[in-house]
Amino acid sequence: MSVLSSIGRIATQYAAARARYRSERILLALPAELRKDVGFPKLFDAKNSRRAATFSAKVI
């Protein structure tokens, strides 16, 4: 694996993460009723529970 392919892979992952966080910010800016209609709270809660589990595992 060359250095350029590694940099390209890291850049792609960074761009995907930025897009994901931007989407979350946009959805969180919507009123709660619209988020509920879209089903965002359920997805967001599941994601947060995974983050909390990952965080607690790293802390320990």
Side-chain angles (χ1 to χ4, degrees), residues 6-30:
S6 296
I7 292 172
R9 184 176 39 82
I10 291 169
T12 301
Q13 290 174 347
Y14 176 74
R18 276 187 51 99
R20 185 174 45 253
Y21 294 132
R22 184 180 21 194
S23 298
E24 284 181 11
R25 284 193 312 266
I26 291 170
L27 287 170
L28 285 172
L30 293 173

Side-chain angles (χ1 to χ4, degrees), residues 17-54:
R18 276 187 51 99
R20 185 174 45 253
Y21 294 132
R22 184 180 21 194
S23 298
E24 284 181 11
R25 284 193 312 266
I26 291 170
L27 287 170
L28 285 172
L30 293 173
E33 297 82 21
L34 289 177
R35 286 189 307 223
K36 187 175 180 181
D37 290 343
V38 174
F40 183 67
K42 292 177 187 175
L43 297 174
F44 190 66
D45 290 340
K47 187 173 183 181
N48 278 342
S49 65
R50 280 185 274 147
R51 279 187 185 170
T54 304

